[in-house]
């Protein structure tokens, strides 16, 4: 059975939080903007490779995947259940 790893969902959440923190810090110290760019690019790569529907390859939002960790959730594109383990 196909599934999305809980590790990748948590990593995506951490990358988005770090992006937000460094983006706000970038207004105080300019070099933090470059670090924020690295975090957002890392999230984009993770999203395109690992955070897609395992059945149809459709895009799902990170907040929906966070919800799917503890609840039953179906893909918005194909209607199949998304398993997160």
């Amino acid at each position: 059975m196909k599934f999305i790893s809980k590790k990748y969902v948590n990593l995506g959440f951490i990358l988005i939080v770090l992006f937000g923190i460094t983006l706000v810090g970038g207004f105080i110290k300019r070099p933090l903007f470059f670090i924020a760019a690295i975090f957002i690019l890392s999230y984009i790569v993770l999203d395109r490779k690992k955070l897609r529907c395992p059945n149809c390859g459709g895009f799902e939002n990170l907040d929906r995947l966070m919800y799917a960790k503890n609840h039953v959730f179906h893909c918005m594109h194909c209607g199949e259940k998304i398993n997160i383990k």
Side-chain angles (χ1 to χ4, degrees):
M1 176 168 277
K2 299 177 182 177
F3 63 92
I4 298 173
S5 176
K6 192 181 280 191
K7 175 180 72 170
Y8 292 130
V9 175
N10 291 336
L11 179 62
F13 182 73
I14 290 169
L15 287 173
I16 291 299
V17 168
L18 289 174
F19 167 72
I21 291 170
T22 54
L23 183 69
V24 171
F27 291 109
I28 298 169
K29 298 285 186 182
R30 295 278 184 213
L32 289 177
F33 279 129
F34 296 114
I35 297 172
I38 292 170
F39 285 139
I40 197 66
L41 290 175
S42 299
Y43 173 75
I44 291 170
V45 169
L46 177 70
D47 182 50
R48 291 190 185 248
K49 300 282 185 186
K50 303 292 184 183
L51 297 180
R52 300 289 178 152
C53 173
N55 301 311
C56 68
F59 170 76
E60 290 295 333
N61 290 339
L62 185 61
D63 60 339
R64 291 182 180 156
L65 292 175
M66 293 292 288
Y67 176 81
K69 286 187 345 186
N70 299 321
H71 300 88
V72 176
F73 185 75
H74 298 275
C75 176
M76 302 298 279
H77 303 283
C78 65
E80 295 290 322
K81 181 181 175 189
I82 295 179
N83 295 320
I84 297 185
K85 296 183 180 181

